[in-house]
Amino acid sequence: MAETTMHGLTDANRTRDAMNFVTVNGTLLHYELAGDPRASTMVFSNSLGTDLRVWTPVLPFLPDGLCFLRYDKRGHGLSGMPEGPCTIEDHARDLAGLLDHLEIRQAIVCGLSVGGLIAQGLVALRPDLVRALILCGTAARIGTAESWNERMETIRQGGIAALADQILERWFTAAFRRERADELAGWRNMLVRSPREGNLATCAAIRDADFREADRRIAVPTQCICGTEDGSTPPDLVRELAGLIPGAAFDLIEEAGHIACVEQPERFAAVVTRFVEENGLA
């Protein structure tokens, strides 16, 4: 029998991705853990309409010596979706429960879009779990109540497919959409196949989230990142977020839209690597 190590991983699989499930905060979460869990852990929280695979392109370019935890937030991927509405605080409690389950403390939390809101919620709720923040294509407040209510009504009437082309235009640059058609089709499949109720519940959570005051109290190293052609959270909005957080850094990823970790993974990883090294996080 293989020797069991911390977090239930064996010596044989400790450095490989493993598909795992756990119920925390009343929610079934799907997660994958890669690397030695005794090392510093970088946690990834994905965007609306995607699952943990959104981070796959960037992983090969990130520093050695880190453990990587990816998970599907509630209502996305293989995770469950409890009945009723939810808030960003509920998402943050889900992530806190997962980190507690894995006995992970002082994680580097990297969140994209709504994942960035979840990261902001986590550091407000459980600062003991957060060593540093990487906030990508996100803001302290995203959109307006009116814009989110309109989006939700369109989804109720016509499904996510009714908005897919508009969303993909914000996710990726014109060059990506023109030159990488097969990849674009794959990401469209991920978007339109994401659970409708999970998407609606997360839209409402984003609509109601506002961290403009809480962010002024963040006391961990923070890196904000935005694609130069981000159509969902434009650079000025992400720059504004960086201005709220004491000491936060801000970097632009050239030739990238909202999902910069997919479109320009090497450039994205270079910013993350520099942040990790400058702050002694590995």
Side-chain angles (χ1 to χ4, degrees):
M1 180 178 292
E3 180 183 356
T4 300
T5 61
M6 63 188 302
H7 309 325
L9 298 179
T10 66
D11 286 335
N13 69 14
R14 190 173 60 196
T15 58
R16 296 202 303 269
D17 285 342
M19 189 166 68
N20 299 285
F21 297 89
V22 65
T23 297
V24 297
N25 192 33
T27 304
L28 178 70
L29 294 182
H30 166 232
Y31 68 94
E32 294 186 359
L33 190 65
D36 187 342
R38 293 168 294 192
S40 296
T41 300
M42 185 175 290
V43 181
F44 298 92
S45 187
N46 51 292
S47 55
L48 178 65
T50 69
D51 60 35
L52 58 76
R53 290 173 291 182
V54 77
W55 300 106
T56 301
V58 80
L59 291 182
F61 303 108
L62 292 174
D64 293 331
L66 290 171
C67 180
F68 299 116
L69 172 62
R70 297 181 293 162
Y71 77 106
D72 293 333
K73 64 182 171 290
R74 63 167 64 193
H76 288 71
L78 301 183
S79 290
M81 180 65 221
E83 292 185 7
C86 70
T87 64
I88 292 298
E89 287 72 21
D90 290 323
H91 283 285
R93 280 189 282 270
D94 292 347
L95 180 51
L98 177 59
L99 293 173
D100 284 341
H101 169 73
L102 295 173
E103 300 178 8
I104 293 172
R105 294 290 182 274
Q106 294 293 291
I108 306 162
V109 183
C110 179
L112 171 63
S113 197
V114 65
L117 288 173
I118 294 168
Q120 293 168 69
L122 180 67
V123 74
L125 178 72
R126 291 285 305 278
D128 60 301
L129 297 177
V130 181
R131 185 180 181 191
L133 292 170
I134 302 170
L135 305 176
C136 320
T138 191
R141 179 169 176 77
I142 301 175
T144 64
E146 292 75 18
S147 66
W148 285 108
N149 288 337
E150 181 180 345
R151 177 173 177 147
M152 292 162 65
E153 185 58 31
T154 300
I155 293 172
R156 291 189 187 99
Q157 295 296 325
I160 299 171
L163 291 172
D165 290 341
Q166 298 174 38
I167 292 170
L168 291 169
E169 288 178 3
R170 295 193 290 268
W171 279 11
F172 301 113
T173 64
F176 181 99
R177 300 195 307 272
R178 181 177 62 252
E179 299 168 8
R180 296 163 67 174
D182 286 348
E183 290 178 69
L184 181 69
W187 290 107
R188 189 183 196 280
N189 285 343
M190 178 181 287
L191 172 64
V192 300
R193 294 173 186 176
S194 64
R196 176 177 175 273
E197 292 308 316
N199 197 288
L200 286 170
T202 305
C203 285
I206 298 170
R207 177 195 63 195
D208 298 338
D210 188 344
F211 290 102
R212 286 175 290 186
E213 288 302 319
D215 283 351
R216 300 179 192 277
R217 298 188 291 273
I218 291 176
V220 298
T222 301
Q223 173 71 59
C224 297
I225 302 174
C226 186
T228 54
E229 299 178 52
D230 189 330
S232 295
T233 53
D236 284 348
L237 188 62
V238 184
R239 188 180 287 109
E240 180 182 322
L241 169 65
L244 290 174
I245 301 171
F250 172 75
D251 279 86
L252 288 171
I253 306 296
E254 297 290 335
E255 301 175 355
H258 189 53
I259 314 294
C261 55
V262 168
E263 192 159 7
Q264 298 292 347
E266 291 187 66
R267 295 177 184 178
F268 184 96
V271 174
V272 171
T273 298
R274 187 192 68 215
F275 174 70
V276 167
E277 292 175 348
E278 288 181 350
N279 290 278
L281 298 172

